[in-house]
Amino acid sequence: MAKGPGLYTDIGKKTRDLLYRDYQGDHKFTITTYSPTGVAITSSGTKKGDLFLADVNTQLKRNNITTDIKVDTNSNLSTTIVVDELAPGLKTILSFRVPDQRSGKLELQYLHDYAGISTSMGLTANPVVNFSGVVGTNSTAIGTEVSFDTKTGNFTKYNAGISFSNADLIAALTLNDKCETLNASYYHIVKPLTNTSVGAEVNHSFSTNENTITVGTQHALDPLTTVKARINNLGKANALIQHEWRPKSLFTISGEIDTKAVDKSAKFGLALALKP
């Protein structure tokens, strides 16, 4: 288990990763190469129906500074600079996108054995200020997340959450959407040797009094091949198989069917990630 409670975004993350990560509804191809000087260049292409989107990302690491520069098909130039350990436990993140002059953002993250704090603000005259804080240990954590718009003087976000963990089980409860939605999640490692785990998530909307229930599982067929599946109470069922055919290079096939409308065509997605 990790040391300390982590950041607010870590509350319920294991369940979210199990239920939603790597499922692909489009066709995506990613290839990463490294120059002799250690610069990583990643090219990605995604086909969404008749639309094709592509981007090229260049990453340079030097000492404790990581710089990412990405150019996409919409002629946007995005830059992220991460500085680790300016002080013990402190990470500084500066990001901006050209030509959007209002996209600049500065973020500070601080991790301690008994606390995790993240704060960010836009680099504009009237920025949105975000703050999240967690206190506790690696087994029990409670935290909150708020956003304040200095232009309107209103809170645009206020959430809260609590998490309980042990070696093979994680449970979390969060209030989201300005306390309009209650989310309960559960993650359990059934068999570590085969990476077999199960998870469930329940979302309750106070405004509509509706519940959305999602359950899922994953299992490693062998050290290089993993299968995952999930289904929700709306009848949407998803499954995927992912194979690591060489170190860090993954091939993923995923599909989705609507069990309440079996006459509709199933959706399929492909993802190929190549790394040297």
Side-chain angles (χ1 to χ4, degrees), residues 4 15 34 63 72 76 79 82 84 93 122 144 170 204 228-229 272:
T15 304
Y34 293 90
N63 298 325
D72 62 28
N76 292 314
T79 301
V82 180
D84 275 315
I93 304 171
T144 187
I170 301 174
H204 175 76
K228 295 176 66 175
L272 178 62

Side-chain angles (χ1 to χ4, degrees), residues 4-17 116 132-145 159-165 170-176 183-187 201:
L7 299 173
Y8 183 83
T9 51
D10 294 325
I11 295 179
K13 185 177 184 300
K14 276 287 189 179
T15 304
R16 292 194 300 272
D17 286 349
S132 66
V134 178
V135 295
T137 64
N138 58 346
S139 60
T140 305
I142 184 171
T144 187
E145 177 184 44
N159 304 324
I162 187 170
S163 175
F164 302 96
S165 310
I170 301 174
L173 187 68
T174 58
L175 273 171
N176 304 313
N183 176 281
S185 63
Y186 167 83
Y187 173 86
E201 180 185 71

Side-chain angles (χ1 to χ4, degrees), residues 40 50 99 105 170 226:
D50 296 330
K105 185 173 73 171
I170 301 174
T226 299

